[in-house]
Amino acid sequence: MALARRAILIVLLVAFTFPGCSGTWSGVKQDTQAAKDYTYEKKDEYRSRLEYQLLELDAKTEELKGKAANASESVKREFDKDMSELSRQKAVLNQKLESVKSSSAAAWEDTKAGAESAWDSVKRTYERAKARFQ
């Protein structure tokens, strides 16, 4: 019985000591929504940064094409496969960038995740092609 009274006493003590805690979950939800709103507000900045990175990658790819011109035939064949794959992946990334431009706040997190996934695929393929010359 003493244990039950002690438990009740602790619960009451906590309830009176921390009266604002009952709203903690709603506070977390509000903070999460505020973070999503903030990142959505930065979507134009995100899109611009991604477009700039894509332009940098295009310049680096041109350098690789110059190296490929002096490579063996087998390396050229593999490099050409990489470039075809890179071209396909960049087309997907460009579609994702268009989605970023027109994304609503409700769809922003999914749109951003899709763009990041497409960018990761592009980077991996570029790195594979680059590794052929190291």
Side-chain angles (χ1 to χ4, degrees):
M1 189 72 169
L3 186 60
R5 274 191 261 163
R6 185 178 289 161
I8 291 172
L9 181 62
I10 291 172
V11 168
L12 290 174
L13 181 63
V14 169
F16 286 113
T17 305
F18 303 109
C21 286
S22 63
T24 300
W25 182 247
S26 65
V28 169
K29 289 193 316 188
Q30 289 172 344
D31 289 346
T32 302
Q33 186 59 46
K36 286 180 181 180
D37 291 345
Y38 176 78
T39 60
Y40 178 72
E41 290 169 6
K42 299 287 186 179
K43 81 173 187 169
D44 289 334
E45 186 178 309
Y46 174 81
R47 180 188 48 79
S48 294
R49 187 179 76 240
L50 202 54
E51 287 174 343
Y52 179 77
Q53 289 173 329
L54 190 55
L55 287 173
E56 283 184 323
L57 184 84
D58 287 343
K60 290 177 182 178
T61 301
E62 289 303 315
E63 288 178 27
L64 285 182
K65 288 179 181 179
K67 290 180 180 181
N70 299 323
S72 68
E73 288 303 314
S74 63
V75 171
K76 284 181 185 178
R77 275 192 303 276
E78 293 302 312
F79 181 76
D80 287 344
K81 288 179 188 177
D82 291 338
M83 290 298 101
S84 293
E85 179 67 13
L86 185 62
S87 179
R88 186 189 66 73
Q89 289 173 343
K90 284 172 52 179
V92 170
L93 179 58
N94 283 320
Q95 289 174 343
K96 299 293 182 182
L97 281 170
E98 288 301 314
S99 295
V100 166
K101 289 178 187 177
S102 62
S103 176
S104 67
W108 171 241
E109 292 300 316
D110 290 338
T111 302
K112 184 179 175 188
E116 288 176 359
S117 176
W119 173 245
D120 288 343
S121 294
V122 166
K123 284 192 308 187
R124 274 193 307 275
T125 301
Y126 168 79
E127 291 299 326
R128 184 177 60 231
K130 180 181 169 185
R132 297 193 188 287
F133 302 104
Q134 294 178 343

